[in-house]
Amino acid sequence: MACWLYEGLLMFGVVFIAGYLFGTLSQTRNALDNRHALQAFVFVIFGIYFVWFWAKGQTLAMKTWNIRVVDVNGAPITQRRALLRYLLSWLWFLPPLGASWLLGLSGAEGGVLTLGWVAIWAILARFHPERQFWHDAWAGTRLVTWVAPEKQKREEKHEGKRKPKDRPVASDPS
Protein backbone atom coordinates (compact mmCIF):
# COMPACT_ATOMS: atom_id res chain seq x y z
CA MET A 1 0.00 0.00 0.00
CA ALA A 2 2.95 2.33 0.56
CA CYS A 3 3.85 1.96 -3.11
CA TRP A 4 0.25 2.79 -3.98
CA LEU A 5 0.37 6.01 -1.94
CA TYR A 6 3.71 6.98 -3.49
CA GLU A 7 2.24 6.33 -6.94
CA GLY A 8 -0.62 8.68 -6.05
CA LEU A 9 1.87 11.37 -5.13
CA LEU A 10 3.61 10.96 -8.48
CA MET A 11 0.27 11.00 -10.29
CA PHE A 12 -0.39 14.47 -8.87
CA GLY A 13 2.39 15.75 -11.12
CA VAL A 14 1.00 13.84 -14.10
CA VAL A 15 -2.47 15.33 -13.48
CA PHE A 16 -1.00 18.82 -13.14
CA ILE A 17 0.86 18.58 -16.45
CA ALA A 18 -2.12 16.95 -18.20
CA GLY A 19 -4.48 19.63 -16.88
CA TYR A 20 -2.16 22.40 -17.98
CA LEU A 21 -1.75 20.83 -21.42
CA PHE A 22 -5.51 20.31 -21.79
CA GLY A 23 -6.29 23.86 -20.68
CA THR A 24 -3.71 25.31 -23.07
CA LEU A 25 -4.78 23.23 -26.07
CA SER A 26 -8.51 23.73 -25.52
CA GLN A 27 -8.19 27.38 -24.46
CA THR A 28 -10.28 26.60 -21.38
CA ARG A 29 -10.37 29.54 -19.02
CA ASN A 30 -12.43 27.92 -16.26
CA ALA A 31 -11.75 24.39 -15.03
CA LEU A 32 -15.48 23.60 -14.95
CA ASP A 33 -16.13 24.56 -18.58
CA ASN A 34 -14.87 21.33 -20.18
CA ARG A 35 -14.93 19.17 -17.07
CA HIS A 36 -16.01 15.91 -18.72
CA ALA A 37 -13.56 16.32 -21.59
CA LEU A 38 -10.78 17.01 -19.07
CA GLN A 39 -11.73 13.89 -17.10
CA ALA A 40 -11.64 11.79 -20.27
CA PHE A 41 -8.29 13.32 -21.22
CA VAL A 42 -6.79 12.54 -17.80
CA PHE A 43 -8.19 8.98 -17.99
CA VAL A 44 -6.36 8.51 -21.32
CA ILE A 45 -3.16 10.09 -19.98
CA PHE A 46 -3.26 7.78 -16.93
CA GLY A 47 -3.78 4.86 -19.29
CA ILE A 48 -0.78 5.83 -21.40
CA TYR A 49 1.35 6.29 -18.28
CA PHE A 50 0.49 2.97 -16.66
CA VAL A 51 0.37 0.85 -19.81
CA TRP A 52 3.74 2.20 -20.93
CA PHE A 53 5.50 1.60 -17.61
CA TRP A 54 3.80 -1.72 -16.79
CA ALA A 55 4.75 -3.08 -20.22
CA LYS A 56 8.34 -2.18 -19.28
CA GLY A 57 7.85 -3.90 -15.91
CA GLN A 58 7.70 -1.08 -13.37
CA THR A 59 6.54 2.44 -12.68
CA LEU A 60 8.84 4.78 -10.78
CA ALA A 61 7.07 4.00 -7.51
CA MET A 62 7.34 0.26 -8.18
CA LYS A 63 11.09 0.65 -8.76
CA THR A 64 11.44 2.40 -5.42
CA TRP A 65 9.70 -0.46 -3.62
CA ASN A 66 11.35 -3.23 -5.72
CA ILE A 67 8.04 -4.40 -7.18
CA ARG A 68 7.58 -5.65 -10.73
CA VAL A 69 4.42 -6.61 -12.62
CA VAL A 70 4.67 -9.88 -14.57
CA ASP A 71 2.28 -12.36 -16.12
CA VAL A 72 1.31 -15.58 -14.33
CA ASN A 73 4.41 -17.32 -15.76
CA GLY A 74 6.78 -14.61 -14.53
CA ALA A 75 7.37 -13.09 -17.98
CA PRO A 76 7.03 -9.36 -18.77
CA ILE A 77 3.51 -8.36 -19.69
CA THR A 78 2.43 -7.15 -23.11
CA GLN A 79 0.87 -3.77 -23.73
CA ARG A 80 -2.47 -5.47 -24.31
CA ARG A 81 -2.30 -7.18 -20.90
CA ALA A 82 -1.13 -3.91 -19.31
CA LEU A 83 -4.15 -2.16 -20.85
CA LEU A 84 -6.46 -4.87 -19.48
CA ARG A 85 -4.85 -4.46 -16.05
CA TYR A 86 -5.33 -0.69 -16.25
CA LEU A 87 -9.00 -0.99 -17.12
CA LEU A 88 -9.64 -3.60 -14.42
CA SER A 89 -7.76 -1.53 -11.83
CA TRP A 90 -10.53 1.04 -12.05
CA LEU A 91 -12.60 -1.41 -9.99
CA TRP A 92 -10.86 0.22 -7.03
CA PHE A 93 -12.82 3.44 -7.68
CA LEU A 94 -15.62 3.15 -10.25
CA PRO A 95 -18.21 1.23 -8.17
CA PRO A 96 -18.33 3.79 -5.32
CA LEU A 97 -18.10 6.72 -7.73
CA GLY A 98 -20.96 5.32 -9.78
CA ALA A 99 -23.03 4.67 -6.65
CA SER A 100 -22.32 8.20 -5.40
CA TRP A 101 -23.51 9.63 -8.70
CA LEU A 102 -26.64 7.45 -8.84
CA LEU A 103 -27.59 8.20 -5.22
CA GLY A 104 -26.76 11.91 -5.53
CA LEU A 105 -24.39 11.82 -2.55
CA SER A 106 -22.44 14.87 -1.47
CA GLY A 107 -18.68 15.01 -1.94
CA ALA A 108 -18.03 14.08 1.70
CA GLU A 109 -20.46 11.16 1.58
CA GLY A 110 -18.98 9.96 -1.69
CA GLY A 111 -15.50 10.22 -0.20
CA VAL A 112 -16.48 8.07 2.78
CA LEU A 113 -18.11 5.54 0.46
CA THR A 114 -14.99 5.46 -1.73
CA LEU A 115 -12.64 4.98 1.23
CA GLY A 116 -14.84 2.20 2.56
CA TRP A 117 -14.92 0.47 -0.82
CA VAL A 118 -11.14 0.72 -1.24
CA ALA A 119 -10.68 -0.86 2.19
CA ILE A 120 -13.11 -3.67 1.36
CA TRP A 121 -11.51 -4.24 -2.06
CA ALA A 122 -8.07 -4.47 -0.45
CA ILE A 123 -9.34 -6.92 2.19
CA LEU A 124 -10.89 -9.09 -0.54
CA ALA A 125 -7.36 -9.85 -1.75
CA ARG A 126 -6.98 -11.98 1.38
CA PHE A 127 -9.61 -14.34 -0.04
CA HIS A 128 -7.69 -14.97 -3.26
CA PRO A 129 -5.75 -18.27 -3.12
CA GLU A 130 -2.46 -16.46 -3.83
CA ARG A 131 -3.45 -13.33 -1.88
CA GLN A 132 -3.30 -11.07 -4.90
CA PHE A 133 -5.63 -8.28 -5.89
CA TRP A 134 -8.57 -9.42 -7.98
CA HIS A 135 -7.86 -7.09 -10.89
CA ASP A 136 -4.42 -8.74 -11.18
CA ALA A 137 -5.96 -12.22 -11.07
CA TRP A 138 -8.49 -11.35 -13.78
CA ALA A 139 -5.85 -9.64 -15.96
CA GLY A 140 -3.47 -12.60 -15.65
CA THR A 141 -0.79 -10.54 -13.91
CA ARG A 142 0.87 -10.56 -10.53
CA LEU A 143 3.20 -8.38 -8.52
CA VAL A 144 6.56 -9.81 -7.50
CA THR A 145 9.50 -8.55 -5.49
CA TRP A 146 12.34 -7.85 -7.87
CA VAL A 147 15.76 -6.22 -7.50
CA ALA A 148 17.67 -5.12 -10.59
CA PRO A 149 20.77 -7.32 -11.09
CA GLU A 150 23.13 -4.29 -11.07
CA LYS A 151 21.61 -3.02 -7.82
CA GLN A 152 21.86 -6.46 -6.27
CA LYS A 153 25.55 -6.69 -7.21
CA ARG A 154 26.20 -3.26 -5.72
CA GLU A 155 24.44 -4.25 -2.49
CA GLU A 156 26.44 -7.48 -2.27
CA LYS A 157 29.68 -5.60 -2.94
CA HIS A 158 28.77 -3.01 -0.29
CA GLU A 159 27.87 -5.81 2.13
CA GLY A 160 31.36 -7.27 1.72
CA LYS A 161 32.96 -3.94 2.74
CA ARG A 162 31.07 -3.71 6.05
CA LYS A 163 32.97 -4.21 9.23
CA PRO A 164 31.87 -7.21 11.30
CA LYS A 165 30.45 -4.97 14.05
CA ASP A 166 28.21 -3.20 11.47
CA ARG A 167 26.50 -6.39 10.34
CA PRO A 168 22.87 -6.72 11.38
CA VAL A 169 22.35 -9.40 14.00
CA ALA A 170 19.19 -11.48 14.17
CA SER A 171 17.65 -11.30 17.60
CA ASP A 172 16.21 -14.31 19.35
CA PRO A 173 12.64 -13.52 20.43
CA SER A 174 12.64 -16.17 23.18
Side-chain angles (χ1 to χ4, degrees):
M1 286 305 243
C3 179
W4 198 55
L5 292 172
Y6 182 40
E7 196 76 66
L9 182 67
L10 294 174
M11 293 314 295
F12 178 78
V14 173
V15 168
F16 179 79
I17 292 169
Y20 178 76
L21 182 63
F22 179 83
T24 302
L25 294 175
S26 66
Q27 294 296 308
T28 301
R29 303 219 185 276
N30 186 337
L32 296 177
D33 285 346
N34 294 326
R35 183 177 61 167
H36 298 298
L38 175 60
Q39 290 170 343
F41 183 72
V42 169
F43 177 79
V44 169
I45 295 298
F46 277 4
I48 291 169
Y49 172 87
F50 283 113
V51 169
W52 173 268
F53 282 109
W54 286 340
K56 293 191 174 294
Q58 299 172 296
T59 62
L60 180 59
M62 292 168 81
K63 283 183 183 182
T64 303
W65 293 95
N66 296 323
I67 298 172
R68 191 170 192 85
V69 62
V70 296
D71 68 10
V72 291
N73 299 318
I77 63 173
T78 63
Q79 285 188 342
R80 175 176 272 168
R81 190 171 302 271
L83 178 61
L84 177 62
R85 184 176 194 262
Y86 172 71
L87 294 174
L88 288 172
S89 70
W90 278 95
L91 289 172
W92 282 92
F93 298 106
L94 283 183
L97 292 177
S100 296
W101 178 72
L102 287 173
L103 298 173
L105 300 179
S106 69
E109 293 168 331
V112 169
L113 181 64
T114 301
L115 286 175
W117 173 256
V118 166
I120 289 168
W121 192 248
I123 290 169
L124 285 175
R126 297 287 186 189
F127 296 106
H128 187 275
E130 296 176 15
R131 292 191 172 211
Q132 65 178 4
F133 294 119
W134 286 98
H135 69 278
D136 277 320
W138 296 329
T141 60
R142 60 189 178 113
L143 298 175
V144 295
T145 302
W146 186 81
V147 179
E150 308 85 46
K151 185 177 179 183
Q152 196 171 22
K153 285 180 186 176
R154 276 186 270 134
E155 288 175 357
E156 289 171 1
K157 186 177 179 182
H158 181 68
E159 187 72 26
K161 290 183 179 180
R162 281 186 172 180
K163 297 176 187 172
K165 66 178 182 180
D166 293 338
R167 292 184 193 271
V169 177
S171 60
D172 187 12
S174 54

